[in-house]
Amino acid sequence: QAGLTQPPSVSKGLRQTATLTCTGNSNNVGNQGAAWLQQYQGHPPRLLSSRNNNRPSGISERFSASRSGDTASLTITGLQPEDEADYYCSAWDSSLSTYVFGTGTKVTVL
Amino acid sequence: EVQLVESGGGLVKPGGSLRLSCEASGFTFSDYGMNWVRQAPGKGLEWVSSYSGTSNYIFYADSVKGRFTISRDNAKNSLYLQMNSLRVEDTAVYYCARGVFDTWGQGTLVNVSS
């Protein structure tokens, strides 16, 4: 099962804005939207944004998600040191009847 | 508090079997679809299997189809993953996750090695 495509790494300065992308196709991201997850080394992932771009309770407003066609995006504004983590997208693929995950993006705050 | 606790991981030889469990608390378990997701050492997340909440739909990744079996016991608020014919490449931390991944357990390590 093919995964969703994410850039391996993104580096931005403190308090800058980072935009992460997640590219799929019309059967997954384009059809169902994508959820976004954050994972610190050695910890389980946590949901940042559901596939309808809603933030769960407790997630900072600095994280916002959107979608255009087959590409989903996660924007992190006002980057903080604690935003250094791995970020994954995920979507349901209606053709494969499977979930697919992105390859992951490592965010570094300079 | 919504909580998921996995157990059952360990060291097993190639070709062996293990049964993972995920005990849920703090929510109405039967209302939610549940998932197993794994992460090999130093690698990304890989979806393994899902079991719907009430309609008994079950889905598997191609990499585990025919070898792994997902099940659930709503009376015990528990999700299971029976893993047979284990391979070295199945070595990973296995996570239990609720719904569309809104809650995760801490994971249990499965190490397949001779």
Side-chain angles (χ1 to χ4, degrees):
Chain A
Q1 282 129 349
L4 307 175
T5 302
Q6 298 182 248
S9 62
V10 168
S11 298
K12 290 285 187 179
L14 190 64
R15 294 183 294 277
Q16 289 191 327
T17 296
T19 299
L20 285 56
T21 58
C22 167
T23 302
N25 59 44
S26 59
N27 295 314
N28 43 59
V29 176
N31 181 279
Q32 304 279 331
W36 287 92
L37 303 156
Q38 178 192 57
Q39 187 181 32
Y40 295 112
Q41 182 78 16
H43 291 267
R46 72 163 176 166
L47 185 69
L48 290 180
S49 175
S50 64
R51 57 186 175 180
N52 57 4
N53 301 329
N54 290 331
R55 277 187 309 274
S57 172
I59 301 300
S60 171
E61 293 179 351
R62 297 188 299 104
F63 295 94
S64 62
S66 62
R67 177 172 66 93
S68 177
D70 297 340
T71 297
S73 298
L74 178 73
T75 299
I76 312 172
T77 57
L79 275 167
Q80 299 296 309
E82 61 266 28
D83 298 331
E84 284 203 344
D86 294 320
Y87 293 80
Y88 295 92
C89 57
S90 176
W92 176 255
D93 191 299
S94 57
S95 174
L96 300 174
S97 293
T98 67
Y99 277 106
V100 287
F101 277 95
T103 46
T105 296
K106 184 176 184 61
V107 169
T108 300
V109 181
L110 302 173
Chain B
E1 180 194 4
V2 174
Q3 196 170 10
L4 299 171
V5 179
E6 302 94 337
S7 60
L11 176 63
V12 61
K13 287 181 167 47
S17 298
L18 274 179
R19 187 192 194 213
L20 306 185
S21 298
C22 169
E23 186 171 347
S25 59
F27 64 100
T28 303
F29 182 70
S30 59
D31 285 349
Y32 288 85
M34 297 294 296
N35 312 277
W36 288 102
V37 177
R38 68 184 181 183
Q39 188 169 35
K43 302 296 185 183
L45 300 173
E46 180 189 12
W47 172 79
V48 173
S49 182
S50 297
Y51 198 128
S52 64
T54 53
S55 47
N56 289 329
Y57 289 116
I58 288 175
F59 306 95
Y60 296 102
D62 285 347
S63 57
V64 306
K65 201 172 291 183
R67 301 186 299 124
F68 291 10
T69 302
I70 191 172
S71 61
R72 64 188 294 163
D73 185 336
N74 289 339
K76 294 183 177 180
N77 293 333
S78 291
L79 179 74
Y80 306 101
L81 186 68
Q82 177 66 42
M83 304 186 296
N84 298 331
S85 303
L86 282 162
R87 305 168 180 167
V88 170
E89 55 265 34
D90 294 319
T91 294
V93 174
Y94 284 72
Y95 294 104
C96 167
R98 184 182 81 164
V100 194
F101 309 121
D102 63 3
T103 303
W104 295 68
Q106 289 298 309
T108 186
L109 176 63
V110 172
N111 187 356
V112 185
S113 173
S114 55

